[in-house]
Amino acid sequence: MKKILIIHTGGTISMLEDKTTGKVSISNEHPLSGLVDYVNTYAVVEERIEFSLPSPQITPEHMLSLANTINQLLNMYDGFVITHGTDTLEETAYFLSLVLDTEKPIIVTGAMRSYNEIGSDALYNLISSVRVAISKDARKKGVLVVMNDEIHPASNVTKTSTSNIATFQSPQYGPIGIITKEKVLFHHSLLPGNAYPITSLTKKVYLLTAVSGMKGDIIQAIRYLKPDGLVIEGLGQGNLPKDVVDEIKLLIDSSIPIILVSRCYQGVVQPTYGYDGGGRQLKDMGVIFTNGLTGPKARIKLLVALEKTNDMNVLKKMFEEEIN
Ligand code: ASP
């Protein structure tokens, strides 16, 4: 039997509901510990509690520490299942996919309803994740998110509903596999991405969403915070209100990389429009366009990338030419 390590980090999957008040909070003992009998039929499973945090409290530093733990234990297990709060689950999954260099299955899962709530998906998602982790087809697929009978790549998956169990979707390309009663079925394959192992996180990267009527003052305020990089969720195909252009130029002139994604959840950014603030003008100024990533994930990638280089041309290659 394969040997799988479950690493708990917190989130609703680690919580219980107080039946008198309805409040959901972290319990002293992990509610799924002791339920390993359910998964022992599939694999030899060991558990480890890494953190007990609601995922809004998870930081990139926690993500790096989790990656270090996985790296240290990599040779001892055939695969890993990480349980995590769903709010920032996609950021942790994508971070791990960028920094871990392994062919072994790394599965991230969570729950929308805690273990003692009616209709809980906690134990079900955990069992599904172990089943995916032991699947030979899950090898060489990078980090996968398993929720609600679906398998999603870390790069594209996002939480789409605040409370629905079917919340995790991959809006651009859909899931790459499903979990049925009988099998784990991958129906799409992934193009390989690059790994960027890092040992520290020292950079400051901000994320800004473009809105109509936005002025340069907000970017000026960010400039005063001395950023190492900025990610902007632009409009449509990658356009910005014209009043921000001068401030964008000032940042680029001081060698601060600006990564542009779209605030649309589908489609690509491309330098189509030549008007003031249009994508063509931004690209000519040196704004770096990237596709396949949401703003939060582009920010994670820039945090990681800046640990490797601050050379604009290398950053451009990493963001414009690579498959995310
Ligand atoms: N707020 C919770 C968290 O992310 C939501 C969840 O886990 O589903 O920790």
Side-chain angles (χ1 to χ4, degrees):
M1 271 218 250
K2 289 196 174 162
K3 210 172 152 194
I4 303 296
L5 180 64
I6 300 176
I7 306 180
H8 297 294
T9 68
T12 298
I13 196 164
S14 300
M15 298 185 190
L16 288 174
E17 180 186 43
D18 180 323
K19 291 294 175 194
T20 45
T21 63
K23 189 171 80 178
V24 175
S25 34
I26 296 273
S27 70
N28 290 338
E29 210 174 301
H30 197 284
L32 297 181
S33 284
L35 292 167
V36 281
D37 279 357
Y38 285 95
V39 279
N40 273 343
T41 48
Y42 298 104
V44 175
V45 172
E46 289 176 12
E47 283 179 282
R48 170 186 174 111
I49 297 191
E50 193 73 9
F51 320 116
S52 292
L53 291 171
S55 76
Q57 292 174 20
I58 294 276
T59 63
E61 287 71 25
H62 290 112
M63 298 173 198
L64 182 58
S65 145
L66 180 59
N68 289 340
T69 298
I70 295 172
N71 268 329
Q72 278 156 20
L73 301 174
L74 207 50
N75 292 331
M76 293 169 58
Y77 298 92
D78 299 300
F80 295 80
V81 171
I82 294 125
T83 70
H84 198 286
T86 59
D87 289 351
T88 60
L89 185 150
E90 66 208 64
E91 286 173 69
T92 296
Y94 183 61
F95 181 93
L96 294 177
S97 78
L98 281 178
V99 304
L100 293 176
D101 195 2
T102 176
E103 295 186 352
K104 293 187 179 179
I106 313 279
I107 315 300
V108 187
T109 192
M112 295 302 287
R113 295 180 195 152
S114 61
Y115 179 63
N116 65 341
E117 281 178 86
I118 290 172
S120 171
D121 51 342
L123 182 57
Y124 188 82
N125 284 339
L126 186 72
I127 296 171
S128 300
S129 299
V130 171
R131 289 179 59 204
V132 177
I134 59 166
S135 158
K136 67 174 180 359
D137 297 332
R139 284 184 71 87
K140 294 195 201 172
K141 296 251 177 354
V143 176
L144 299 171
V145 171
V146 169
M147 295 276 295
N148 195 38
D149 281 339
E150 290 182 346
I151 308 167
H152 294 264
S155 53
N156 198 224
V157 71
T158 191
K159 184 173 179 176
T160 61
S161 162
T162 57
S163 56
N164 195 306
I165 276 193
T167 181
F168 280 92
Q169 312 275 333
S170 296
Q172 195 84 293
Y173 311 113
I176 60 164
I178 54 168
I179 300 131
T180 72
K181 202 172 168 68
E182 293 183 332
K183 53 181 143 185
V184 170
L185 191 71
F186 284 89
H187 47 65
H188 281 78
S189 58
L190 287 168
L191 296 166
N194 290 326
Y196 299 105
I198 53 167
T199 51
S200 58
L201 277 169
T202 55
K203 307 296 181 195
K204 216 157 53 168
V205 173
Y206 294 94
L207 168 62
L208 185 65
T209 301
V211 289
S212 60
M214 191 163 90
K215 301 269 185 281
D217 54 359
I218 183 74
I219 296 178
Q220 187 182 45
I222 290 173
R223 185 158 53 81
Y224 288 155
L225 293 170
K226 302 200 182 320
D228 298 294
L230 173 64
V231 174
I232 305 181
E233 289 179 337
L235 308 167
Q237 290 185 38
N239 311 303
L240 293 174
K242 70 175 170 44
D243 288 353
V244 305
V245 170
D246 289 347
E247 277 294 332
I248 294 275
K249 194 162 172 349
L250 279 177
L251 275 184
I252 291 175
D253 287 348
S254 25
S255 300
I256 306 300
I258 302 184
I259 309 294
L260 192 77
V261 298
S262 179
R263 67 177 206 183
C264 298
Y265 69 96
Q266 284 179 329
V268 294
V269 283
Q270 52 191 350
T272 300
Y273 294 101
Y275 52 76
D276 272 356
R280 177 65 61 100
Q281 186 195 42
L282 298 173
K283 189 144 197 198
D284 288 346
M285 278 166 53
V287 173
I288 298 172
F289 285 39
T290 199
N291 281 307
L293 294 180
T294 58
K297 286 188 194 169
R299 176 240 178 193
I300 291 285
K301 184 166 179 177
L302 189 52
L303 277 174
V304 171
L306 285 169
E307 292 300 323
K308 296 279 177 199
T309 183
N310 55 11
D311 181 319
M312 282 285 189
N313 289 323
V314 181
L315 288 170
K316 209 166 143 61
K317 272 205 172 75
M318 288 170 75
F319 280 90
E320 290 190 348
E321 290 170 25
E322 275 179 13
I323 295 138
N324 287 304

